[in-house]
Amino acid sequence: MMSTLSIDIGGTKIRAGLVDGGAVTEMQSIETAPGPGEDEIMPAIIRLAQSYDGVTDVAVASAGVIVDGVVTSATDLIPNWAGTNIAAELGTALDVPVTALGDVHAHGVGEATYGVAKGYPSSLTVAVGTGIGGAFVVDGKPMIGEHGVAGHVGHISHGAAANIECSCGRFGHIEAIASGSGMAAAYERATGEHRSGPEMDQEAIDRKSPALKVLHDGGFALGEVIGSLTNALDPGIIVVTGSVSRAVDPWWQALRCGFAAAIMDPVNKTPLVKGELGDEAPLIGAAAYAKVKNA
Ligand SMILES: [Zn+2]
């Protein structure tokens, strides 16, 4: 059988699988090599890819900013990843066509083509995890922008984040208070103690006030940002995904309240839903994007 092999390169894990439409088979996962970065990661990815038979093309979803198959910038989670020409290096090693795009862009395309946004001509996907990313997808194609940066929802200014440093080095961006790490930091500022996401969720379920307030403030502020983006972009549906989207009701309630507070009347019926593809979304989206791009 001839198949598209999708590879999702993240800061902690590299996943691969054969993708046929919305189905992923023969999924494998390896740890992203810590330390030496590209020197060790690329050979590991090539070995992983070579373990599959009958691959006709490779579709990559990668952490970082991707322009024309090249990683133009990446976080410290994958050292030395910036500068890697994914498409050229994998294409040469495997002798098949390779397409690559950012992992959040791929996630958005996955939800738009085979996930909860299927059937909507346009969608805004917001991924809330350690950071906050996003993808505005129209007719199966993500808006990538002139520098591959389009969709960086986490780096929008919000008053509640004033004077708090963001992962990008600027101050006042929503990611600094509403991402998983941002809410953990807010909890620590309020109490002097560290909590994981699940621990904060449990405390919120138990109606303990520091966790409830942190989840409420982060959720409400992010809801306002998503409402503002909806006013500007008018997507058919908004998909919220990522590890924080699995958070408890108080976070979702606050998110919906913030959204309702910011949304303009003509777009206030826009569905705001949880993503449904999970970890497979970037694999499915990368393959779908390769099809659209190569068509
Ligand atoms: Zn930022």
Side-chain angles (χ1 to χ4, degrees):
M1 198 181 107
M2 312 299 264
S3 307
T4 298
L5 173 67
S6 279
I7 304 173
D8 178 18
I9 304 164
T12 55
K13 277 192 164 54
I14 297 167
R15 292 187 179 83
L18 299 176
V19 178
D20 182 10
V24 183
T25 55
E26 297 184 41
M27 186 127 92
Q28 294 187 57
S29 172
I30 59 172
E31 302 290 315
T32 307
E38 183 191 350
D39 298 342
E40 281 198 9
I41 292 172
M42 206 32 116
I45 293 169
I46 291 167
R47 282 195 300 276
L48 182 64
Q50 285 170 336
S51 71
Y52 289 87
D53 292 324
V55 172
T56 50
D57 65 303
V58 172
V60 175
S62 173
V65 174
I66 315 297
V67 179
D68 294 333
V70 179
V71 185
T72 58
S73 76
T75 67
D76 294 340
L77 273 177
I78 314 182
N80 301 328
W81 192 232
T84 307
N85 191 329
I86 298 175
E89 290 187 32
L90 273 183
T92 302
L94 303 171
D95 199 24
V96 292
V98 177
T99 55
L101 82 166
D103 52 1
V104 183
H105 289 152
H107 198 125
V109 173
E111 290 288 358
T113 48
Y114 293 101
V116 70
K118 185 180 178 184
Y120 289 87
S122 66
S123 59
L124 172 67
T125 292
V126 178
V128 195
T130 308
I132 299 176
F136 182 51
V137 179
V138 179
D139 296 332
K141 287 188 181 172
M143 181 197 282
I144 287 172
E146 294 300 316
H147 308 89
V149 172
H152 273 66
V153 173
H155 305 282
I156 289 175
S157 297
H158 190 287
N163 302 318
I164 300 173
E165 190 172 9
C166 182
S167 64
C168 69
R170 303 288 94 80
F171 285 78
H173 288 170
I174 185 69
E175 180 173 299
I177 59 159
S179 64
S181 56
M183 289 193 289
Y187 188 99
E188 204 161 336
R189 280 194 299 276
T191 65
E193 291 173 37
H194 180 77
R195 292 286 185 278
S196 68
E199 285 168 346
M200 272 197 290
D201 282 353
Q202 188 54 52
E203 291 189 7
I205 290 167
D206 296 340
R207 313 303 293 175
K208 290 187 179 163
S209 76
L212 264 182
K213 178 161 171 41
V214 163
L215 286 176
H216 175 272
D217 291 353
F220 189 89
L222 182 60
E224 288 181 307
V225 165
I226 293 174
S228 302
L229 284 169
T230 302
N231 295 339
L233 298 171
D234 191 9
I237 186 170
I238 302 139
V239 181
V240 179
T241 183
S243 59
V244 174
S245 73
R246 296 190 273 272
V248 291
D249 279 351
W251 182 82
W252 271 100
Q253 286 163 7
L255 186 83
R256 290 188 187 285
C257 282
F259 180 74
I263 196 87
M264 296 193 306
D265 290 344
V267 285
N268 69 7
K269 299 287 190 293
T270 310
L272 173 65
V273 302
K274 194 191 282 195
E276 64 179 22
L277 295 182
D279 290 342
E280 293 185 354
L283 296 173
I284 292 167
Y289 175 74
K291 273 210 175 59
V292 171
K293 194 160 187 263
N294 296 332

